[in-house]
Amino acid sequence: MFLDEVKIFVRSGDGGNGLVAFRREKYVPKGGPAGGDGGRGANVVFIVDEGLRTFMDYRYQKKFVAPNGENGMSKGMHGRKSKDLYLKVPPGTVIRDTDTGEVLADLVEHNQEVVVARGGRGGRGNCRFATPSNPAPEIAENGEPGEERNLTLELKLMADVGLVGFPSVGKSTLLSITSKAKPKIADYHFTTLAPNLGVVETKDNRSFVMADLPGLIEGASQGVGLGHQFLRHIERTKVIVHIIDMSATDGRDPYEDYKIINQELLEYNMRLLERPQVVVANKMDIPVASENLEHFKNKLKEDGEEVEIVEISAFTRTNIDNLLYKVGDILDSTDPNTLYELDTEEETMENRVLYKHKPKDETFKITRDDTGAYVVSGPGIERAFLMTDFNRDASIRRFAQQMRSMGVDDALRERGCKNGDIVKILKGEFEFVE
């Protein structure tokens, strides 16, 4: 089964908790704090494996959770950091955040990596909090929680040449006779449901990857039929081979077919028509095809289009070598570093991974729940809450100081919070004390 789009959930590992401990060695006076830091949680990393072609590994398993870091230990020993969780994807994978639509990475090269969820840092042990005024602190942090993300993985095939055209014009037949690929071929009308790849080798020892892509129909750019599922795969091809059935066996007009396909490419993204395109007149072994070809050329002249047409018969294998030579010449003259980013509304992500600096978000908001309690929410205050060990008075006092420094106390007073009122943060409840 060819699977080219999946949605999954990933979660990086939590950091290990710091430890409160003290040295009690017999001949060491005033031993002091000895609690170690927790280890870092594991990152979730996608890595490209050129041996993969689909997302079959993600068909059944949709949830991936990285291991947590190890807790800190006594004698100042830090916890072990966890090994990163690596998830393999085929080349041509675009990773998006499902919730925001942001493109996180566009992976096209073997072993290219991207970190999509960073592991939480380990909590600090009480060794870290020793000061001249407090040489024996009883404060330690819990580990920072890991990141959670819903992701959409999209595959855009990495092929040099893409075969486009209406269903049953001979795309699969052409691929089968020029490579060792075995796409489904039959004497009745149907459309290929999944792309097929084949390595084509010409008689002058040049080779390239050709993709037989699902047949287009009118309205595909708006999602009709296979729609965007097809057009996504044509984006990365360097050359488009546009195959037209000149025998008009279905009663269609070859020139209308030609215009419809190009219009769908244009409406999907106008830069697709900037790609080198080879127009192929197929099924020329059928007598009526020559007459249709002449009519086709006249229509092109009337519209002022100068298009070179390669005449072939995939059934009798006529002129196939000349077609492959022409495609090979175009590929040889095409700059391999030319990048095509077809969605003009997105930031260019082709062939690279973009990491953005994201400052800590210390903003928060205060709401009221059904019981009248004040509910404080926000990334910064929630992170501080989760990293506080509420079993120790010193840690609780430190958390109260953090709330004051972030301006939470003043904001609560402005909302009308008074002494004794209930304040909630995540699953915790507190009494507001002036």
Side-chain angles (χ1 to χ4, degrees):
M1 176 179 289
F2 183 83
L3 195 62
D4 60 356
E5 182 172 352
V6 292
K7 293 184 178 181
I8 63 173
F9 169 83
V10 298
R11 189 184 193 282
S12 58
D14 297 338
N17 297 334
L19 182 70
V20 174
F22 297 91
R23 295 176 64 188
R24 293 181 177 83
E25 297 177 36
K26 183 176 181 180
Y27 298 107
V28 180
K30 301 178 182 178
D37 299 346
R40 177 182 63 81
N43 299 324
V44 179
V45 184
F46 282 96
I47 184 170
V48 176
D49 183 349
E50 63 184 3
L52 298 178
R53 282 292 176 266
T54 72
F55 293 135
M56 281 300 295
D57 292 345
Y58 307 99
R59 183 183 180 190
Y60 299 109
Q61 185 177 356
K62 303 287 187 180
K63 184 177 181 180
F64 299 88
V65 180
N68 299 330
E70 191 176 38
N71 294 335
M73 294 169 282
S74 59
K75 298 184 179 179
M77 292 187 292
H78 300 331
R80 182 185 292 109
K81 68 179 181 180
S82 294
K83 293 183 178 179
D84 292 341
L85 174 62
Y86 282 87
L87 304 176
K88 294 182 179 180
V89 293
T93 297
V94 177
I95 303 173
R96 298 177 186 271
D97 188 302
T98 305
D99 300 324
T100 65
E102 178 188 5
V103 177
L104 304 179
D106 191 351
L107 307 175
V108 299
E109 297 178 352
H110 183 56
N111 286 333
Q112 192 175 6
E113 299 180 7
V114 60
V115 179
V116 294
R118 294 194 174 277
R121 69 173 178 84
R124 291 174 290 180
N126 66 333
C127 283
R128 300 289 189 179
F129 296 96
T131 63
S133 60
N134 186 14
E138 294 188 11
I139 302 173
E141 291 177 328
N142 292 335
E144 183 182 22
E147 297 180 347
E148 297 181 354
R149 258 184 163 159
N150 293 305
L151 301 176
T152 300
L153 309 183
E154 296 179 355
L155 178 61
K156 299 178 181 178
L157 287 181
M158 301 294 292
D160 299 310
V161 180
L163 305 179
V164 304
F166 270 84
S168 300
V169 296
K171 301 186 298 296
S172 298
T173 303
L174 178 60
L175 182 67
S176 68
I177 64 175
T178 56
S179 72
K180 292 186 177 181
K182 302 297 180 185
K184 180 181 177 181
I185 302 171
D187 56 0
Y188 55 87
H189 295 290
F190 70 96
T191 184
T192 301
L193 297 178
N196 294 293
L197 288 175
V199 178
V200 178
E201 186 169 351
T202 64
K203 290 184 178 179
D204 57 357
N205 297 321
R206 290 182 290 177
S207 64
F208 48 85
V209 178
M210 182 182 288
D212 161 30
L213 300 166
L216 271 177
I217 61 175
E218 190 170 5
S221 58
Q222 280 75 46
V224 177
L226 293 172
H228 293 149
Q229 182 180 349
F230 157 79
L231 289 165
R232 179 168 67 242
H233 295 299
I234 201 67
E235 289 185 29
R236 296 196 189 277
T237 57
K238 299 182 179 70
V239 178
I240 296 175
V241 175
H242 188 163
I243 301 180
I244 301 170
D245 178 6
M246 279 298 165
S247 67
T249 52
D250 288 337
R252 296 196 307 259
D253 182 357
Y255 184 73
E256 289 300 318
D257 288 357
Y258 169 76
K259 300 297 288 185
I260 288 172
I261 294 296
N262 280 342
Q263 185 62 31
E264 293 303 324
L265 297 178
L266 175 65
E267 290 181 4
Y268 182 70
N269 192 289
M270 62 181 182
R271 292 195 63 186
L272 273 176
L273 292 184
E274 297 176 9
R275 208 70 53 86
Q277 185 176 128
V278 179
V279 178
V280 176
N282 191 22
K283 303 185 182 181
M284 294 302 296
D285 55 303
I286 299 176
V288 71
S290 298
E291 181 181 341
N292 291 337
L293 178 60
E294 194 63 32
H295 178 72
F296 181 85
K297 290 179 178 178
N298 291 335
K299 285 281 191 178
L300 288 175
K301 289 181 181 178
E302 290 176 7
D303 288 347
E305 294 188 48
E306 295 183 3
V307 178
E308 183 179 354
I309 302 171
V310 181
E311 303 174 28
I312 69 165
S313 171
F315 180 72
T316 62
R317 305 193 179 191
T318 303
N319 210 31
I320 298 298
D321 288 338
N322 289 335
L323 171 62
L324 298 183
Y325 292 149
K326 182 173 182 61
V327 171
D329 291 341
I330 295 174
L331 288 172
D332 290 342
S333 62
T334 301
D335 183 2
N337 296 318
T338 300
L339 304 179
Y340 299 97
E341 181 53 49
L342 298 174
D343 191 342
T344 55
E345 296 181 359
E346 295 178 357
E347 185 172 359
T348 300
M349 291 290 298
E350 184 85 23
N351 199 23
R352 64 191 179 98
V353 175
L354 181 64
Y355 292 109
K356 297 180 180 179
H357 171 67
K358 293 183 179 180
K360 286 186 178 181
D361 187 358
E362 302 295 347
T363 59
F364 59 87
K365 65 179 181 179
I366 300 173
T367 57
R368 303 288 292 272
D369 66 6
D370 296 339
T371 64
Y374 293 85
V375 180
V376 183
S377 59
I381 189 65
E382 290 174 0
R383 182 173 58 250
F385 174 84
L386 292 171
M387 296 183 69
T388 299
D389 180 5
F390 288 97
N391 294 317
R392 295 184 178 276
D393 291 340
S395 296
I396 295 174
R397 289 194 295 271
R398 179 171 179 266
F399 177 68
Q401 177 59 42
Q402 287 178 305
M403 289 181 64
R404 283 193 293 272
S405 64
M406 293 175 65
V408 176
D409 285 12
D410 293 337
L412 285 169
R413 291 188 185 96
E414 291 178 5
R415 286 295 301 268
C417 188
K418 298 177 181 178
N419 195 38
D421 287 347
I422 299 299
V423 178
K424 294 182 179 180
I425 301 176
L426 295 177
K427 295 182 179 181
E429 292 188 7
F430 314 91
E431 282 191 7
F432 186 74
V433 179
E434 288 287 1

